[in-house]
């Protein structure tokens, strides 16, 4: 795979970023692409390691055949590389940009802290394929006469729609927002992934016969009963959008917000859309000239940090209740699994102040009900407050980014309630129950995939579930399926 001695001769290199001082002045992507020869050199580092953990269950959720397409890129066979990549992943230009790359954690060369730059190569393959015109509509040659509805056009819904369309079914995708993409479009900032990549895939899928119905809130504008009556199968791919309740006193102060409305608003601004959005507060939330505090240590919190800097925040502080992780993991006890170690996102590197092992006690406000600060304290290893360590951080704006507990319950789930017995996990979430074999719910003709089933997760997991659910539906409708799992 690749060059036999490549991993010994070539150092690991990944795409560079624009300087932080430059990139915070715009919302565009700031990665500087590598040249084709540079990408090919990185692909050449993929060694014949015997057991490629990178695409096993510990690495890539969609089981990308990483050694194979690294070898193809090294040999300059770009068309074969994208064909191989597309055999497992419908949207490598998405995952090549926003995936945290568990494949690189599982790479054998990560034992020496120098894994193959898999994510960089993946993005390069997809971008090169567009440049050379390899990505075109591939409509089905035989039509089955079956009609499938998909609720939600995020990565799970889009992957399922493309797979089912290519299997010959008449696929209709229903999206609540004004444009397709779901949280991929409205939750992920443009500086991580510009939305023209979604638009290009949507056009390809339209050319393959998939029909998109935007601005349709299923369960409100269109009854589920009608959807069942008009289609042979329905796949629910809603996102995990209901924020977890923080239980922090003072959330009523002006200036305290959940993270997602803030990110959705800014994405709509960048997309030149009205900031009013179904399900989200519509009052403008802007960080310009303000002291900002972000509660939470995950990707959503990091996205809030980067967005705040680009809006002109004076200072951004991020609070994480977890202890500061070690700079390096113990390879022999962790590899090839995802390791807990100190990681700094591009947004955090733009100047965020990070506080670890700190609990948020309450939001502090003035007599006019406006936020003025965030009261915090240090915690012990059991996350219990340490007496006498309280302090207040000045804040004009605070975002709560501690995760999501399931889909919105005021549309599909509400419409089904009392009519059909849909099994939903009530233990702290509203995820719809279905297994990973057939993705079938307790309701006839209804399947479910993505975050609405597994809870908030990665884009790559959503693509996997969409693909697998598509096969399950195809098999149920036709008795057998040639679609891959």
């Amino acid at each position: 795979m690749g060059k036999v001695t490549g991993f010994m001769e070539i150092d690991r290199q990944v795409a560079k970023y624009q300087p932080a001082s430059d990139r915070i002045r715009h919302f565009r992507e700031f990665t500087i692409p590598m040249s084709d020869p540079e990408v090919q050199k990185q692909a050449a580092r993929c060694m014949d390691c015997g057991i490629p953990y990178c695409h096993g269950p510990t690495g890539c959720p969609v089981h990308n055949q990483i050694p194979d397409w690294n070898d193809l890129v090294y040999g300059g066979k770009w068309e074969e590389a994208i064909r191989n990549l597309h055999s497992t992943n419908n949207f490598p230009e998405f995952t090549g940009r926003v995936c945290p790359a568990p494949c690189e954690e599982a790479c054998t060369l990560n034992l020496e802290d120098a894994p193959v730059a898999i994510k960089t190569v993946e993005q390069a393959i997809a971008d090169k394929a567009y440049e050379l015109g390899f990505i075109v509509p591939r409509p089905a040659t035989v039509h089955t006469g079956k009609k499938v509805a998909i609720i939600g056009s995020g990565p799970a819904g889009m992957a399922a729609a493309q797979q089912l369309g290519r299997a010959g079914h008449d696929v209709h995708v229903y999206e609540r927002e004004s444009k397709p993409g779901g949280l991929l479009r409205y939750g992920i900032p443009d500086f991580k992934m510009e939305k023209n990549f979604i638009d290009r895939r949507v056009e390809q899928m339209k050319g393959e016969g998939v029909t998109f119905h935007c601005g349709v809130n299923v369960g409100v504008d269109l009854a589920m009963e009608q959807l069942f009556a008009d289609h042979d199968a329905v796949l629910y791919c809603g996102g995990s959008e209901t924020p977890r309740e923080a239980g922090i006193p003072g959330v009523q102060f002006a200036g305290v917000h959940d993270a997602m409305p803030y990110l959705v608003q800014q994405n709509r601004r960048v997309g030149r859309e009205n900031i009013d959005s179904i399900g989200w507060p519509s009052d403008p939330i802007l960080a310009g000239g303000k002291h900002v505090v972000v509660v939470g240590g995950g990707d959503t919190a990091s996205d809030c940090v980067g967005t705040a800097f680009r809006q002109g925040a004076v200072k951004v502080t991020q609070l994480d209740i977890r202890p500061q992780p070690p700079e390096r993991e113990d390879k022999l006890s962790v590899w090839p699994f995802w390791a807990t170690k100190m990681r700094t996102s591009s947004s955090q590197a733009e100047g965020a102040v990070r506080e670890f092992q700190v609990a948020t006690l309450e939001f502090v406000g003035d007599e006019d009900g406006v936020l003025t600060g965030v009261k915090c304290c240090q915690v012990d290893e059991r996350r219990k407050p340490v007496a006498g360590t309280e302090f207040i951080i000045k804040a004009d704006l605070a975002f709560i980014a501690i995760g999501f507990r399931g889909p919105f319950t005021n549309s599909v789930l509400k419409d089904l309630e009392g009519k059909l017995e849909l099994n939903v996990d009530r233990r702290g979430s509203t995820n719809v129950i279905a297994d990973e074999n057939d993705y079938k719910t307790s309701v006839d003709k209804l399947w479910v995939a993505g975050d609405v089933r597994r809870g908030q997760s990665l884009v790559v997991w959503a693509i996997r579930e969409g693909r697998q659910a598509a096969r399950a539906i195809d098999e149920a409708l036709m008795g057998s399926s040639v679609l891959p799992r």
Side-chain angles (χ1 to χ4, degrees), residues 87-242:
S87 71
T88 56
N89 184 356
N90 295 68
F91 314 120
E93 68 274 27
F94 300 168
T95 51
R97 286 172 164 80
V98 301
C99 186
C103 52
E104 295 189 14
E105 292 287 308
C107 177
T108 302
L109 290 177
N110 191 38
L111 287 168
E112 298 294 330
D113 289 315
V116 175
I118 300 169
K119 181 177 175 179
T120 297
V121 176
E122 180 179 25
Q123 179 182 335
I125 294 172
D127 291 348
K128 190 71 173 178
Y130 272 113
E131 177 189 330
L132 297 177
F134 297 149
I135 300 179
V136 296
R138 302 188 185 280
T141 55
V142 177
H143 298 281
T144 65
K146 301 292 185 179
K147 192 174 181 181
V148 181
I150 297 177
I151 305 169
S153 65
M158 285 183 66
Q162 186 163 65
Q163 293 295 95
L164 288 165
R166 289 176 174 178
H169 303 303
D170 181 15
V171 180
H172 292 258
V173 181
Y174 295 86
E175 169 57 46
R176 181 189 68 210
E177 299 288 351
S178 55
K179 293 180 181 179
L183 291 178
L184 195 65
R185 181 185 294 274
Y186 294 103
I188 295 176
D190 279 64
F191 56 79
K192 289 176 70 174
M193 189 186 82
E194 294 178 10
K195 304 311 183 291
N196 62 294
F197 297 105
I198 301 174
D199 297 333
R200 291 198 297 196
R201 281 296 180 182
V202 168
E203 288 306 308
Q204 181 198 29
M205 292 167 66
K206 287 179 179 177
E208 295 171 349
V210 176
T211 304
F212 288 85
H213 306 270
C214 293
V216 179
N217 191 5
V218 175
V220 178
D221 305 323
L222 176 62
M224 287 295 293
E225 289 178 336
Q226 188 64 49
L227 215 59
F228 289 133
D230 293 343
H231 300 82
D232 298 289
V234 178
L235 175 61
Y236 181 24
C237 293
S240 187
E241 301 171 284
T242 302

Side-chain angles (χ1 to χ4, degrees), residues 246 248 256-257 259 292-298 300-302 304-305 317-321 358-363 374-376 397-403:
I248 303 172
V256 180
H257 304 274
V292 179
V293 172
V294 181
V295 180
T300 302
S302 179
C304 289
V305 170
T317 305
Q318 185 177 359
L319 307 179
D320 195 332
I321 199 169
V358 166
T360 305
L361 297 179
E362 66 175 307
F363 297 108
V374 180
K375 185 177 181 180
C376 310
L397 196 59
F399 298 111
I400 303 172
I402 58 172

Side-chain angles (χ1 to χ4, degrees), residues 57-59 102 105-106 110 329 331 333-340 343:
T58 56
E105 292 287 308
N110 191 38
E329 72 275 30
K331 298 288 186 183
S333 65
V334 178
W335 181 87
F337 298 97
W338 185 263
T340 298
R343 301 175 192 271

Side-chain angles (χ1 to χ4, degrees), residues 40 69 71-82 134:
Q40 288 175 280
W69 45 253
D71 186 48
L72 291 168
V73 168
Y74 172 55
K77 300 175 182 177
W78 294 96
E79 186 171 10
E80 291 181 46
I82 189 61
F134 297 149

